[in-house]
Amino acid sequence: MKIKEMLNLAHVPSILMLGAVYVAYVLIGGVVFWRLEGDLVNQKISRVLQRKNNLLMEYTCLDQEGLEVVAQVVHDASKVGLSLKGNYTSNGFWKFTSSAVFAATVVTTIGYGNMSPSSMAGQIFCVFFALFGIPLNLVVLNRVGKYMLVIERNVCEFLVEKTGRKKCTRFFVHLVSYLCGAVLFFIVPMLVFQMQEGWIYSQALYFCFITLSTVGFGDFVADSDPDKYYPDWYSVLIASWIFFGLAWLALVINHTMDVLEKLNADVKLRWGGQRQEDESSVVTEREVPNTQQEEEGEETK
């Protein structure tokens, strides 16, 4: 009986439907990205190859082998956070402030990829640091998120007692909390990154979401340009923004998951109700001939 309960076929249609929606969503996203970025990257490749040919034609003393050596030097410099413009040198990525931000990106699983430990000792330490740091980060974020949720519920209950309108008050409190979080963790950081990094607003907003959602592509990374001077408070601000922003966005994602689960439950109820109606109609159709046969038998008697 337990095996039959575990393999209850009533859950199969909803699981298949949810899986089909998930696969379709991913495939549609892949098609959209392919159409939007495929032609653009081909154009970029053509421009880069044209610039390479122009460089070899302009600097005749530089052959293909020499160009590859220069490219390797530029690549190595970018990996350590060193600028090759001018005659000055910088401290590279591994300053204390940038190292602290790197530790935050490890435990939060953002992982931009712009900097990483290269020594064997650093790589081994990173493994154990992440092994214990990631669960600790989840526990702390969960606790902070619960405190945020408690504050939101207390405000909601207080307003419900004053107004007596439960649904409208809840909707208003959720809306205000979402708007305040969007301003605090997206709009204000977007303005700060636009001033400090020189990004346009769309790039800064894109970086905010990619960071707080822990996707972390690494195409835009704050406090990492070796040609710019960053104040010390900038790294502290970024680390604090990441921590509290992750807690707030986790609340938003949890609310979204609740909505999707409710929609899934509604679909399941409608599916199950329609299925029960079909089964009941089939049963009644079977019962009608049986009653007719019984009546005919009584008349013959």
Side-chain angles (χ1 to χ4, degrees):
M1 292 295 293
K2 293 183 178 180
I3 297 177
K4 291 182 180 180
E5 291 177 358
M6 292 175 62
L7 299 176
N8 191 357
L9 297 179
H11 299 288
V12 173
S14 62
I15 295 174
L16 292 178
M17 185 181 298
L18 187 62
V21 171
Y22 177 79
V23 173
Y25 186 79
V26 173
L27 292 178
I28 291 173
V31 171
V32 173
F33 285 126
W34 174 47
R35 298 301 300 171
L36 291 176
E37 302 294 333
D39 296 335
L40 183 61
V41 75
N42 291 330
Q43 296 175 5
K44 289 182 178 180
I45 290 174
S46 300
R47 286 198 296 267
V48 170
L49 293 177
Q50 184 63 36
R51 292 178 63 183
K52 171 190 171 183
N53 294 330
N54 294 337
L55 184 65
L56 292 175
M57 292 176 63
E58 184 177 357
Y59 299 97
T60 56
C61 60
L62 185 65
D63 55 3
Q64 179 66 32
E65 183 178 357
L67 181 62
E68 292 177 358
V69 173
V70 173
Q72 185 63 41
V73 172
V74 173
H75 179 266
D76 294 339
S78 65
K79 293 294 289 183
V80 297
L82 179 65
S83 175
L84 297 178
K85 298 178 181 180
N87 295 322
Y88 66 93
T89 57
S90 61
N91 294 327
F93 283 141
W94 295 105
K95 300 178 293 184
F96 172 73
T97 53
S98 58
S99 300
V101 174
F102 170 77
T105 60
V106 171
V107 297
T108 55
T109 68
I110 295 175
Y112 291 120
N114 64 314
M115 58 186 295
S116 58
S118 58
S119 64
M120 183 177 66
Q123 292 171 351
I124 294 175
F125 174 76
C126 184
V127 170
F128 287 98
F129 180 75
L131 184 63
F132 294 99
I134 291 174
L136 176 63
N137 176 74
L138 293 176
V139 171
V140 174
L141 287 180
N142 186 31
R143 184 63 60 86
V144 173
K146 286 183 178 180
Y147 277 123
M148 289 183 178
L149 188 59
V150 168
I151 294 173
E152 182 180 332
R153 287 177 177 175
N154 290 336
V155 173
C156 185
E157 291 176 357
F158 174 78
L159 293 178
V160 167
E161 292 178 356
K162 295 295 184 181
T163 60
R165 298 181 178 179
K166 189 174 183 180
K167 292 184 178 180
C168 294
T169 303
R170 284 185 176 179
F171 175 78
F172 177 76
V173 171
H174 285 315
L175 181 61
V176 171
S177 63
Y178 290 159
L179 292 177
C180 292
V183 171
L184 187 61
F185 298 114
F186 283 93
I187 305 301
V188 174
M190 178 184 69
L191 298 175
V192 174
F193 292 138
Q194 193 276 332
M195 291 186 295
Q196 292 292 329
E197 303 291 341
W199 299 334
I200 61 177
Y201 291 115
S202 61
Q203 292 173 342
L205 184 62
Y206 164 80
F207 168 75
C208 290
F209 182 79
I210 293 301
T211 297
L212 295 184
S213 60
T214 68
V215 175
F217 289 127
D219 48 353
F220 291 94
V221 182
D223 194 19
S224 63
D225 190 350
D227 295 322
K228 294 182 180 295
Y229 171 76
Y230 299 104
D232 293 334
W233 57 264
Y234 188 55
S235 298
V236 178
L237 182 65
I238 292 175
S240 302
W241 166 70
I242 289 175
F243 177 77
F244 291 102
L246 284 175
W248 174 80
L249 193 61
L251 275 180
V252 175
I253 292 175
N254 286 332
H255 282 298
T256 306
M257 290 175 63
D258 291 337
V259 172
L260 292 176
E261 287 178 355
K262 289 180 180 179
L263 290 175
N264 186 29
D266 292 338
V267 172
K268 189 186 296 184
L269 288 175
R270 292 181 181 179
W271 181 281
Q274 184 178 2
R275 188 174 181 181
Q276 289 178 358
E277 290 178 359
D278 295 337
E279 291 178 353
S280 61
S281 62
V282 171
V283 170
T284 53
E285 289 177 357
R286 290 179 179 176
E287 289 177 352
V288 169
N290 292 332
T291 55
Q292 291 178 355
Q293 290 178 1
E294 290 177 356
E295 293 176 354
E296 291 177 355
E298 290 178 355
E299 290 177 356
T300 54
K301 289 180 181 179

